[in-house]
């Protein structure tokens, strides 16, 4: 094997994504490179006036079976795989009339996009590419002699070197590595989709894959490297949003913005809602008559923690709301839309990131959550559990009022998006105090109460908003102490999953304290 650049004399092109196809093919021919192609790609090149040899002429077999079989032939794969510096390979190629193929440019059938569009089972199956991955893998295996291009940028990189005499070994290795990653991600998308079709929640083999969206400056900390990959899932959020302005998103920005928008999706679009997130936990969430009033209520819950936070909205950002948001330092705002007045306000804050989505994420939609551990992956279905009034079981002598039930369901939906253990106090459609991520549930209850007291002091209120609030616990109370702490903070009603061996003790304590309490029968741990 030599490190010297190798010339390219023949290129095989077969692309589903034809953007830039003709221009790149023409540049290849300008270097005296013979073009071989298939089906629609060949037609597009011929219509552009380029000289193209059809693969069917090369193999002696026509495309058949609706195009399922066209490149699966020894003449094609032999041309990709034989080692030019191996005398036995060269002799076999000459004996069977196999000519070398020095470059392949292949974009695969758009399986991911087809699934994301909501296509039916048959349509998805027909968009599984067979010949494309086979050729990419063959060319990548023979990286020393073949430049394998999976997109237009790869062809451009190869052309930059071809004009100087040939493609370097270093570039061919990089292209080969990228090719295997592309086919791996493609197969991961197919296997994941297939597992969902047959409702296999724990397949014998599991694969995850994604496409680089951008390399990040660093990870959670400056000494960690990081990159952002997208899976192709058609879910409104940080991965699919359009960034209108501001600095590039950091690793922590992306993580926090995802948490913020998933929470806002949980609240739906029926009533204006705002969530303010810091370190993936909400520091304030509220419903309101409009987004401006909702923002003010959310900010009042913990204005100190909101500094440098993420703001998520379930409606279009307006000029007056933009003015209000820019009164404190905010990292990111994500919303379904924004008017011109809001854009003008934010334009004065060059570093403030504004992300626009096409809608809200569906909290009930299925999906996967993946977490790495040493030597393995933990995979689970997305927590898409939902409860409504009909699901609630009143377990105390005192029943909650309609207003308390509304606040209970609101607090419960917020609690689902707070790190465990969590206690959320809420009143009048707004969080009054949030205790997140504590090892003890009673500590979460105390922290939430203290947050409410701090907010009252900052606002000059006579009492914290926890007086007359409801309390939500993401998991059951193992002892009455956490419940009694919530009562001491001012809660009059409690929503929790139930299921403790001491439920009777907790219910008795609630009755003695004059609380109403409901069980959901569903837990929302979040780690």
């Amino acid at each position: 094997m030599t490190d010297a650049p190798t010339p390219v004399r023949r290129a095989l092109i077969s692309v589903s994504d034809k953007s830039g196809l003709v221009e790149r093919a023409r540049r290849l021919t300008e270097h005296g490179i013979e073009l071989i192609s298939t089906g629609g790609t060949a037609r597009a090149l011929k219509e552009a006036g380029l000289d193209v040899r059809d693969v069917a002429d090369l193999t002696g077999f026509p495309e058949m079976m609706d195009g399922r079989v066209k490149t699966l032939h020894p003449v094609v794969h032999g041309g990709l795989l034989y080692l030019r510096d191996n005398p036995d390979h060269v002799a076999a190629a000459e004996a069977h009339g196999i000519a070398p193929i020095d470059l392949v440019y292949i974009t695969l059938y758009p399986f991911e996009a087809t699934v994301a569009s909501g296509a039916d089972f048959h349509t998805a199956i027909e968009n599984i590419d067979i010949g494309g991955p086979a050729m990419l893998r063959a060319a990548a295996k023979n990286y020393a002699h073949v430049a394998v291009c999976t997109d237009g940028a790869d062809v451009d990189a190869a052309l930059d070197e071809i004009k100087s005499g040939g493609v370097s070994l270093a570039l061919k290795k990089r292209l080969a590595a990228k090719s295997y990653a592309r086919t791996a991600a493609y197969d991961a998308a197919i296997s994941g989709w297939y597992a969902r079709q047959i409702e296999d929640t724990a397949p014998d083999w599991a694969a995850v894959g994604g496409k680089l969206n951008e390399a990040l400056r660093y990870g959670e900390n400056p000494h960690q490297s990081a990159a952002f990959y997208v899976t192709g899932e058609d879910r409104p959020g940080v991965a699919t949003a359009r960034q209108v302005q501001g600095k590039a998103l950091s690793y922590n920005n992306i993580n926090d913005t995802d948490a913020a928008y998933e929470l806002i999706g949980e609240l739906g679009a029926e009533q204006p809602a705002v969530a303010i997130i810091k370190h993936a936990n909400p520091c304030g969430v509220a419903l309101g008559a409009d987004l401006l009033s909702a923002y003010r209520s959310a900010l009042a819950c913990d204005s100190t923690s909101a500094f440098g936070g993420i703001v998520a909205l379930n409606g279009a950002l307006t000029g007056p709301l933009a003015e209000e948001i820019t009164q404190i330092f905010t990292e990111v705002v994500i919303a379904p839309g924004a008017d011109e007045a809001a854009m003008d306000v934010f334009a004065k804050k060059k570093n403030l990131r504004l992300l626009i989505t096409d809608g809200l994420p569906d909290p009930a939609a299925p999906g996967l959550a993946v977490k790495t551990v040493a030597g393995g992956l933990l995979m689970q279905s997305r927590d898409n559990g939902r409860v409504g009034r009909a699901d609630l079981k009143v377990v105390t002598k005192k029943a909650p009022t309609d207003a308390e039930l509304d606040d209970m369901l609101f607090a419960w939906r917020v609690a689902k998006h707070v790190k465990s253990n969590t206690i959320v106090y809420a009143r009048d459609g707004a969080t009054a105090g949030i205790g997140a991520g504590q090892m003890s549930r009673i500590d979460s209850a105390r922290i939430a109460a203290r947050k409410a007291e701090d907010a009252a002091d900052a606002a000059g209120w006579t009492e914290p908003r926890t007086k007359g609030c409801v309390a939500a616990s993401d998991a059951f109370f193992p002892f009455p102490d956490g419940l009694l702490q919530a009562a001491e903070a001012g809660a009059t009603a409690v929503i929790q999953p139930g299921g403790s061996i001491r439920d009777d003790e907790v219910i008795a304590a609630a009755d003695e304290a004059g609380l109403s309490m409901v069980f959901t029968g569903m837990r929302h741990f979040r780690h």
Side-chain angles (χ1 to χ4, degrees):
M1 184 186 302
T2 177
D3 290 343
T6 54
V8 176
R9 298 185 177 87
R10 302 173 83 226
L12 191 158
I13 305 177
S14 179
V15 294
S16 62
D17 178 5
K18 294 180 175 55
S19 55
L21 165 66
V22 171
E23 177 190 352
R24 291 186 174 99
R26 182 171 285 116
R27 289 171 63 195
L28 289 170
T29 62
E30 289 170 357
H31 292 284
I33 297 169
E34 178 187 0
L35 302 183
I36 308 164
S37 193
T38 63
T41 304
R43 285 193 297 275
L45 294 176
K46 289 174 181 176
E47 289 170 1
L50 295 174
D51 187 15
V52 183
R53 186 176 183 187
D54 199 286
V55 165
D57 296 334
L58 196 70
T59 64
F61 280 85
E63 291 185 18
M64 61 183 73
M65 302 174 185
D66 299 319
R68 285 188 171 204
V69 179
K70 50 191 172 187
T71 58
L72 299 173
H73 193 280
V75 170
V76 173
H77 287 271
L80 295 173
L81 281 165
Y82 89 82
L83 300 174
R84 280 54 155 174
D85 54 3
N86 183 313
D88 291 339
H89 286 206
V90 173
E94 291 175 351
H96 296 284
I98 296 174
I101 298 171
D102 308 309
L103 181 145
V104 294
Y105 173 24
I106 295 168
T107 61
L108 304 177
Y109 292 177
F111 176 82
E112 298 101 328
T114 300
V115 170
S117 72
D120 59 28
F121 185 90
H122 174 74
T123 302
I125 289 290
E126 290 307 313
N127 276 276
I128 295 175
D129 203 330
I130 302 301
M135 288 188 290
L136 289 176
R137 289 174 61 82
K141 180 171 182 174
N142 203 18
Y143 70 91
H145 305 287
V146 185
V148 53
C149 303
T150 59
D151 57 33
D154 293 346
V155 180
D156 293 339
L159 278 163
D160 285 343
E161 294 194 354
I162 288 170
K163 65 186 180 184
S164 299
V167 184
S168 66
L169 184 63
L171 178 57
K172 285 185 287 188
K173 281 184 175 180
R174 183 169 66 81
L175 294 177
K178 178 177 176 179
S179 177
Y180 282 123
R182 174 63 187 116
T183 57
Y186 193 72
D187 285 342
I190 295 167
S191 64
W193 168 80
Y194 228 124
R196 293 192 298 274
Q197 305 313 300
I198 60 176
E199 298 182 355
D200 187 351
T201 58
D204 289 343
W205 290 89
V208 294
K211 184 180 188 300
L212 180 67
N213 190 63
E214 63 177 315
L216 304 176
R217 287 179 59 202
Y218 54 82
E220 282 187 286
N221 301 292
H223 63 276
Q224 294 173 268
S225 60
F228 182 29
Y229 290 82
V230 293
T231 63
E233 182 185 11
D234 187 24
R235 184 174 180 83
V238 66
T240 55
R242 174 173 59 93
Q243 184 169 350
V244 175
Q245 70 157 63
K247 296 187 297 184
L249 293 165
S250 70
Y251 180 99
N252 291 328
N253 291 154
I254 293 167
N255 187 57
D256 292 351
T257 303
D258 178 67
Y261 214 57
E262 287 295 309
L263 170 51
I264 214 67
E266 192 75 44
L267 300 177
E270 292 76 19
Q271 187 174 353
V274 173
I276 305 173
I277 299 293
K278 191 71 170 290
H279 298 310
N281 275 312
C283 49
V285 186
L287 305 173
D290 52 56
L291 286 172
L292 181 57
S293 62
Y295 173 75
R296 288 170 175 165
S297 293
L299 181 63
C301 182
D302 188 353
S303 58
T304 300
S305 297
F307 183 86
I310 311 292
V311 176
L313 318 171
N314 70 347
L317 178 69
T318 62
L321 178 53
E323 292 280 6
E324 193 92 2
I325 290 173
T326 56
Q327 296 306 303
I328 67 168
F329 171 54
T330 300
E331 290 275 11
V332 181
V333 176
I334 182 168
D339 65 21
E340 288 299 322
M343 298 278 200
D344 290 342
V345 172
F346 274 21
K348 300 171 186 175
K349 300 288 184 178
K350 301 297 184 183
N351 292 332
L352 176 57
R353 296 97 162 170
L354 175 60
L355 303 183
I356 301 299
T357 69
D358 292 327
L360 295 174
D362 179 0
L368 280 180
V370 182
K371 179 180 179 180
T372 61
V373 295
L377 299 173
L378 280 173
M379 300 179 69
Q380 64 175 345
S381 60
R382 179 186 287 130
D383 183 0
N384 59 358
R386 303 273 287 171
V387 298
R389 285 201 181 198
D391 302 303
L392 304 180
K393 178 183 178 182
V394 179
V395 294
T396 48
K397 295 174 183 176
K398 181 182 178 182
T401 65
D402 283 344
E404 286 175 329
L405 283 170
D406 286 342
D407 279 339
M408 282 176 168
L409 288 171
F410 167 74
W412 179 250
R413 287 169 184 162
V414 172
K416 176 180 173 182
H417 294 266
V418 185
K419 300 293 185 182
S420 300
N421 289 317
T422 183
I423 296 292
V424 174
Y425 298 134
R427 194 181 82 184
D428 301 327
T431 54
I434 300 172
Q438 298 306 303
M439 292 69 73
S440 164
R441 195 161 298 278
I442 190 171
D443 284 343
S444 294
R446 288 170 177 156
I447 289 171
R450 193 197 73 200
K451 288 282 190 181
E453 291 166 1
D454 291 345
D457 290 342
W461 300 331
T462 57
E463 63 180 17
R465 286 200 296 184
T466 50
K467 301 305 178 183
C469 75
V470 305
S473 175
D474 64 333
F476 61 65
F477 289 100
F479 302 98
D481 54 1
L483 176 98
L484 295 176
Q485 180 63 48
E488 184 179 331
T492 59
V494 175
I495 182 170
Q496 60 132 319
S500 168
I501 61 173
R502 295 183 180 86
D503 273 350
D504 289 344
E505 294 178 35
V506 175
I507 293 169
D511 283 333
E512 186 174 347
L515 303 176
S516 60
M517 185 163 65
V518 300
F519 284 178
T520 64
M522 179 182 292
R523 187 181 75 186
H524 282 310
F525 270 164
R526 186 177 183 85
H527 295 109

